[in-house]
Amino acid sequence: MIGMYGNVLTSARLTYRLLAEKDKASLRKILADAENTLPAGFAPVEDEDDFENFWEKLTASDTSVALLLDEKLIGYMHFNRYIFLAEPFCNEKNISLGIILGKEYSGKGYGTEAITFFTEYLFSFCDNVFGDCFEENISSLRMFEKSGYVFYEKYEMYFVGLDKMKSVVSNVKSRPR
């Protein structure tokens, strides 16, 4: 779906490739910290079995990309098909993206760089890219705005990993036509 098999891409400061076995230890550390996971809608991984289950789901479809700074894993992005049944996006190819950065890398522009770069890359595969985040996650809202995304809608959703309803803001960037 995202054409990353065997590919390595680079932006100004970051390198991107599919998540690999060698990323597991670094990712486990990122996902063990609630400051990294709760804003993304899930609880931190608690033990090795929890992490292995998460890893299997995350890497099963080869749509999760390592974000590397000087060969060090600082986070990841994941992508999914985004299906609409109504206009204006129902007859178009849509992808959603999510991003998690280790807390020590937040606020330094890495997320904006990754989203901006990867959105342009994804336009060779799709018409629209969606990025959703919690309404109270101001840094993520700003990150999408800086990357050229615009507000699409707000909705309520129950998050099993958090055991609560949350307000989610959906942002979109469309391929220039």
Side-chain angles (χ1 to χ4, degrees):
M1 173 176 80
I2 61 169
M4 287 294 294
Y5 302 106
N7 290 335
V8 175
L9 304 173
T10 57
S11 59
R13 300 178 293 170
L14 301 174
T15 301
Y16 313 90
R17 60 163 168 69
L18 289 177
L19 280 172
E21 275 299 307
K22 63 185 174 183
D23 300 317
K24 287 176 92 170
S26 297
L27 185 60
R28 170 88 167 83
K29 183 178 177 186
I30 291 169
L31 297 179
D33 189 332
E35 287 185 55
N36 298 327
T37 63
L38 294 179
F42 59 94
V45 294
E46 295 182 8
D47 56 37
E48 204 54 41
D49 287 340
D50 193 21
F51 175 74
E52 286 300 324
N53 289 333
F54 187 92
W55 175 264
E56 289 304 316
K57 291 176 187 172
L58 185 64
T59 59
S61 59
D62 292 326
T63 57
S64 296
V65 173
L67 305 180
L68 304 164
L69 177 65
D70 299 326
E71 300 300 316
K72 179 180 171 131
L73 183 80
I74 65 168
Y76 73 93
M77 295 177 74
H78 61 92
F79 306 93
N80 296 297
R81 286 192 173 92
Y82 210 46
I83 298 171
F84 284 87
L85 301 177
E87 294 292 337
F89 303 111
C90 63
N91 294 315
E92 297 188 340
K93 293 178 183 173
N94 307 298
I95 293 177
S96 67
L97 71 80
I99 184 170
I100 292 183
L101 287 174
K103 66 183 174 190
E104 62 270 29
Y105 300 100
S106 295
K108 295 178 170 49
Y110 296 121
T112 300
E113 179 177 334
I115 289 172
T116 301
F117 176 84
F118 236 87
T119 299
E120 294 305 315
Y121 170 78
L122 290 170
F123 283 152
S124 62
F125 302 94
C126 71
D127 301 305
N128 307 290
V129 181
F130 288 82
D132 295 2
C133 62
F134 294 145
E135 182 177 36
E136 72 270 10
N137 191 340
I138 303 303
S139 62
S140 286
L141 289 169
R142 286 187 184 137
M143 187 171 52
F144 283 116
E145 184 179 303
K146 288 178 186 175
S147 298
Y149 284 65
V150 296
F151 173 82
Y152 173 63
E153 68 178 345
K154 184 173 127 181
Y155 60 91
E156 299 291 316
M157 185 173 165
Y158 178 76
F159 285 79
V160 175
L162 302 177
D163 192 27
K164 63 171 82 170
M165 292 292 289
K166 298 287 282 182
S167 292
V168 179
V169 175
S170 183
N171 305 283
V172 64
K173 187 168 182 182
S174 297
R175 178 174 42 86
R177 299 162 204 227

